[in-house]
Amino acid sequence: MTEGLTPCARVKCIAVLAFAALISICGPVSATPETSEGLAATEVLANTKQGGVIAATRYGPADASTKVLVIGQMHGDESAGRRVVRALANRLASGIQLPADTAIWLVSTMNPDGARAGTRVNAAGVDLNRNFPQGWRQQGRATETWSGPSAGSEAETAAMSKFLDRVKPTAVLAFHQPFAVVDITHPASRRAGRVLANWLELPARVVGCPGPCYGTLTGWVDDHLAAIALTVELPQRVSAARINRSATAVLRLTRWLAR
Ligand SMILES: [Zn+2]
């Protein structure tokens, strides 16, 4: 893992890994610890209703001009994206080089309560991908696509919006399942979406929603941040090879955006 690194770089790696281990052992934390001379940091974005933690880890400088945010999971019953995030974290922590002035942010899950329960929705029964303010409407109560009582009502959505507003990423990649497609609904994201889909070995298509789209993360990112916003739908069953290919594709896209 640290082969070929200088002793100094090795110390940095150990510090990053030790912090990652601390987070996984200790669970909820409220501070924003720093590691590796500011080149990697984890912060807690929110603590959820049932004690889950939404955390974001940055690799690369905080003031990077190219920033890619990867969200491994929004729906609690779609976990493959978390494996992609884990593969990326392992590669980044073991010293893989990013271009200068570039950072990757990783969020394993923005729905820890849903993940624990194995449900699409959060603990309040809300579909987080219908709860963002962009085009929000109250719809689907008592179904798996309930948009919630008001726009951005859920702690998970509010924390993610606030975080995105602060970080202002160049691109947001949100992993879902099981449709095996990269959704290029947003015109400004199409070029990047086609490039990414090619590396993922998935088709790129305008997928949209059954009926009009409302309250989605990518809709809000596209409209509010004018950033690249892509939904990556992995298949239902995801092999280890596909996880590795997906992590490679994200790194290639990051380099492509930084060029
Ligand atoms: Zn989903």
Side-chain angles (χ1 to χ4, degrees):
M1 174 188 56
T2 54
E3 210 174 16
L5 294 180
T6 63
C8 179
R10 239 177 246 141
V11 169
K12 288 177 185 175
C13 281
I14 290 165
V16 171
L17 293 172
F19 179 69
L22 186 70
I23 287 283
S24 63
I25 291 165
C26 300
V29 290
S30 55
T32 303
E34 285 286 336
T35 60
S36 192
E37 296 172 10
L39 289 178
T42 295
E43 59 182 275
V44 173
L45 309 186
N47 293 289
T48 56
K49 220 171 226 180
Q50 295 186 339
V53 177
I54 303 173
T57 302
R58 166 175 52 78
Y59 298 87
D63 60 352
S65 48
T66 301
K67 288 167 276 196
V68 174
L69 169 65
V70 183
I71 300 173
Q73 179 184 53
M74 197 183 321
H75 293 138
D77 54 354
E78 301 165 10
S79 61
R82 298 184 73 170
R83 293 164 59 201
V84 176
V85 164
R86 202 174 310 130
L88 281 164
N90 287 339
R91 293 196 205 179
L92 290 162
S94 66
I96 197 168
Q97 291 295 309
L98 292 176
D101 203 20
T102 301
I104 292 184
W105 282 92
L106 299 177
V107 173
S108 175
T109 182
M110 63 168 283
N111 186 4
D113 294 348
R116 190 177 300 160
T119 58
R120 175 183 173 94
V121 295
N122 72 355
V126 175
D127 181 347
L128 300 178
N129 210 24
R130 298 291 181 274
N131 189 241
F132 281 84
Q134 171 63 22
W136 182 88
R137 60 171 81 172
Q138 190 163 151
Q139 195 157 310
R141 186 182 284 274
T143 74
E144 279 212 314
T145 54
W146 184 33
S147 58
S150 60
S153 58
E154 303 310 294
E156 297 91 336
T157 315
M160 184 54 69
S161 311
K162 196 170 154 199
F163 172 68
L164 287 163
D165 238 342
R166 174 165 55 85
V167 171
K168 299 204 182 337
T170 313
V172 177
L173 310 179
F175 278 85
H176 290 260
Q177 287 172 272
F179 297 114
V181 66
V182 174
D183 182 3
I184 50 170
T185 290
H186 310 294
S189 305
R190 277 185 193 153
R191 192 158 165 247
R194 289 196 177 100
V195 165
L196 178 66
N198 183 43
W199 289 327
L200 287 166
E201 298 179 23
L202 290 173
R205 224 174 42 236
V206 175
V207 177
C209 307
C213 278
Y214 56 91
T216 65
L217 166 75
T218 59
W220 185 81
V221 170
D222 175 70
D223 181 76
H224 184 75
L225 299 178
I228 292 166
L230 294 167
T231 294
V232 179
E233 287 274 355
L234 293 172
Q236 183 63 46
R237 294 174 63 84
V238 182
S239 66
R242 183 176 282 283
I243 295 295
N244 275 326
R245 190 187 312 142
S246 302
T248 300
V250 171
L251 292 170
R252 288 181 79 174
L253 181 77
T254 304
R255 293 188 183 107
W256 183 81
L257 291 168
R259 77 204 186 283

